[in-house]
Amino acid sequence: MGRAAWAALLVFAAVLSGQDPAVERRAFRAYQERDWAEAARLYEAFHTAGGGTPSTYDNLGVAYASLGEWTRAEAALRQAIELDPRHRWAYNHLGFVHREQGHLELAVGEFRRQIEISPQDPYAWRNLAGTLVLLGRLDEADKAAEETEKRGYERGAVYIDMACNLHAQRKPELARKYLERAETLGAERSLLAQEWAHHYLTIGNYRGAEQEYRKLIEYKRYDTARVLHLAALYYETGNVEKAVALLAKVMEVSDLGLVTLQTSANTSRTVTLEELRRDSRAGTAVVGDLPVDLGKLAMLVRLAKLPPAARRAGYEEFVAAGPPPAAEAWARESWGWLLFDAGQTEAALGQLRRAAGLAPQRRLTAYRLGAALERTGQTEEALSFYTRSLTPLTANQIDCDCERPDVAARERQARSLYARLHGSAARFESYRAGLLNQR
């Protein structure tokens, strides 16, 4: 019997048994495209119809793990191992599932089993090294890392993994040593940039993290995940104008509330804003597991498109959604300034004071609160906030490039008000120094 006839017979037999090879092909395509929810659905359908191989159960386990469905992931991976006790990737993925749930000794056992089956597999040694670091067994981790370097071609990548796990344990100085070792070995530059960004975030150096994320985007311009990481950093630190400008490159929100996200240079996915706001897993199904709330970011993109007359309601809706403090401070400041421009100074003061309480280091909030206080005749307090708006940025803060008026103009205004209150600006510098030293 020829190969074509034999293949046709296999397909016919599968159809008779209730299996549909087309379902498996579609499941694998969804798996390759990282559409984890669809891959899981299709593999489940394929298995329910009587199909199933070690590889399809392994792929189902990976899909569920990517969705954070740990119990289902473990069940699928154990089924893969039952069908093929030497399926090394199933042990690898099961080790990952255990590790993510904090069952570290179990994870070590699965990675060692993978090594028994395939001792030359660098990924097994690499995962073992990363897990041993989490257990604090650094000497063993170093030996496993050395075995990885002997067998693998991704120079230094194992040390990046080890640094990442140490950052997760809030041990940045030890992590830095492994990062520097990876750099010396010539690790791939995007992996280095990503983990250096993680390092800077761990120690609170947001400007350093911003620079590393910018490198990542430069290395791979159409990687939506990298854009979203930087947008999330801007969002969490209250640099919302920068976040929105960046999001505009990969996200579009229609007037009907449809969110279209570019997932690669040539593909995109669309989901409703309502679904993103209602279910955080909806965002995970689109872009995978990222430290970003797609629903709130989409709200910002929509808010930026609103005409001024509609923005007050937009700010109110955004604040009600519960953003992080720095992003809420930005929204309340913008809302308060809108009220200030409309002549509703008392209402503006309320929002601006709350913004200043949420983000006391935000310079533009201090200036705008000063302007509202001056308009209501509270000039001494206004001078205090005008002067606070001149506080120099630290080396760790991100420059938002959004401060209007700029620092020079704000300083002239503060000096002028000081002279008006005290007859001269001669002692303004000592006033400023005293005020800023109190902070």
Side-chain angles (χ1 to χ4, degrees):
M1 181 182 293
R3 182 177 298 176
W6 179 249
L9 182 61
L10 287 176
V11 171
F12 180 68
V15 171
L16 285 179
S17 68
Q19 302 170 31
D20 184 353
V23 174
E24 183 184 2
R25 289 195 296 273
R26 286 163 51 209
F28 186 61
R29 188 180 307 116
Y31 178 90
Q32 288 179 308
E33 293 174 353
R34 303 171 68 85
D35 186 348
W36 304 120
E38 182 67 359
R41 186 186 71 79
L42 289 169
Y43 275 126
E44 287 285 17
F46 180 68
H47 296 154
T48 300
T53 67
S55 292
T56 62
Y57 277 105
D58 181 50
N59 289 352
L60 176 61
V62 171
Y64 276 135
S66 300
L67 293 168
E69 299 276 356
W70 306 117
T71 301
R72 291 179 175 178
E74 182 175 348
L77 293 166
R78 291 200 181 283
Q79 182 64 34
I81 291 169
E82 184 175 330
L83 292 171
D84 179 5
R86 294 187 63 80
H87 195 294
R88 63 190 178 101
W89 285 113
Y91 289 105
N92 180 287
H93 297 141
L94 186 55
F96 172 82
V97 167
H98 286 317
R99 189 179 70 193
E100 291 304 299
Q101 294 181 94
H103 305 150
L104 301 181
E105 293 290 358
L106 290 175
V108 165
E110 301 299 346
F111 295 137
R112 290 200 186 281
R113 177 63 178 138
Q114 184 187 4
I115 289 169
E116 290 174 10
I117 295 168
S118 182
Q120 297 305 314
D121 185 345
Y123 293 104
W125 289 103
R126 178 173 166 178
N127 285 327
L128 177 61
T131 308
L132 288 168
V133 158
L134 289 171
L135 285 164
R137 290 151 61 178
L138 298 185
D139 289 342
E140 291 179 70
D142 285 344
K143 290 176 183 177
E146 289 170 9
E147 295 295 332
T148 305
E149 287 295 319
K150 291 177 187 176
R151 294 165 173 78
Y153 61 89
E154 295 180 274
R155 297 272 71 86
V158 61
Y159 295 110
I160 293 176
D161 290 352
M162 294 162 77
C164 180
N165 290 343
L166 287 164
H167 281 137
Q169 292 187 325
R170 310 296 295 182
K171 298 176 180 177
E173 291 309 313
L174 188 54
R176 186 182 187 95
K177 290 170 57 178
Y178 284 117
L179 266 181
E180 289 170 347
R181 192 177 302 178
E183 203 160 36
T184 300
L185 289 167
E188 200 272 316
R189 62 181 187 173
S190 66
L191 292 176
L192 274 171
Q194 183 168 302
E195 196 50 41
W196 275 118
H198 192 177
H199 175 75
Y200 288 129
L201 286 175
T202 303
I203 63 175
N205 184 345
Y206 301 118
R207 190 178 298 185
E210 176 191 28
Q211 291 169 351
E212 296 300 328
Y213 281 137
R214 286 198 172 279
K215 288 181 189 177
L216 280 170
I217 295 171
E218 180 184 336
Y219 297 152
K220 200 168 182 180
R221 295 180 182 278
Y222 297 106
D223 189 329
T224 298
R226 296 178 179 186
V227 173
L228 290 175
H229 269 98
L230 181 53
L233 172 62
Y234 288 146
Y235 168 69
E236 292 285 342
T237 56
N239 291 278
V240 176
E241 290 86 353
K242 278 190 168 184
V244 170
L246 195 61
L247 288 168
K249 299 179 180 181
V250 297
M251 179 189 289
E252 183 177 337
V253 183
S254 74
D255 294 339
L256 298 176
L258 295 177
V259 181
T260 301
L261 194 71
Q262 180 183 336
T263 52
S264 72
N266 302 309
T267 60
S268 63
R269 295 279 306 281
T270 298
V271 64
T272 66
L273 177 56
E274 181 59 33
E275 185 178 0
L276 287 177
R277 293 185 60 186
R278 185 177 64 251
D279 181 6
S280 60
R281 292 175 300 176
T284 300
V286 176
V287 294
D289 187 18
L290 288 170
V292 60
D293 187 326
L294 275 184
K296 291 187 178 65
L297 293 185
M299 289 178 70
L300 286 176
V301 172
R302 184 181 65 173
L303 179 54
K305 294 169 56 180
L306 292 175
R311 280 190 191 157
R312 177 173 176 175
Y315 292 131
E316 190 169 4
E317 180 187 37
F318 180 71
V319 166
E328 181 180 346
W330 167 85
R332 290 192 180 279
E333 176 201 302
S334 302
W335 184 359
W337 201 239
L338 196 71
L339 294 167
F340 180 84
D341 282 341
Q344 300 176 48
T345 311
E346 289 299 330
L349 270 172
Q351 294 301 332
L352 291 167
R353 284 194 184 280
R354 294 186 70 177
L358 288 163
Q361 303 299 320
R362 187 172 167 85
R363 303 191 303 178
L364 192 56
T365 301
Y367 168 77
R368 288 177 165 175
L369 179 52
L373 288 164
E374 185 179 13
R375 180 183 282 182
T376 57
Q378 301 172 70
T379 49
E380 285 287 357
E381 192 178 4
L383 174 61
S384 169
F385 279 100
Y386 279 150
T387 308
R388 289 169 194 240
S389 81
L390 306 177
T391 307
L393 288 174
T394 70
N396 294 341
Q397 289 177 290
I398 296 171
D399 188 348
C400 72
D401 301 324
C402 62
E403 295 185 344
R404 299 290 182 273
D406 61 18
V407 173
R410 297 203 304 271
E411 180 164 349
R412 288 193 296 271
Q413 193 161 355
R415 283 179 178 278
S416 174
L417 182 55
Y418 184 91
R420 185 151 40 100
L421 291 171
H422 300 280
S424 166
R427 301 191 63 185
F428 175 74
E429 287 304 330
S430 61
Y431 169 79
R432 168 159 59 180
L435 184 65
L436 299 186
N437 285 337
Q438 294 173 13
R439 303 190 69 182

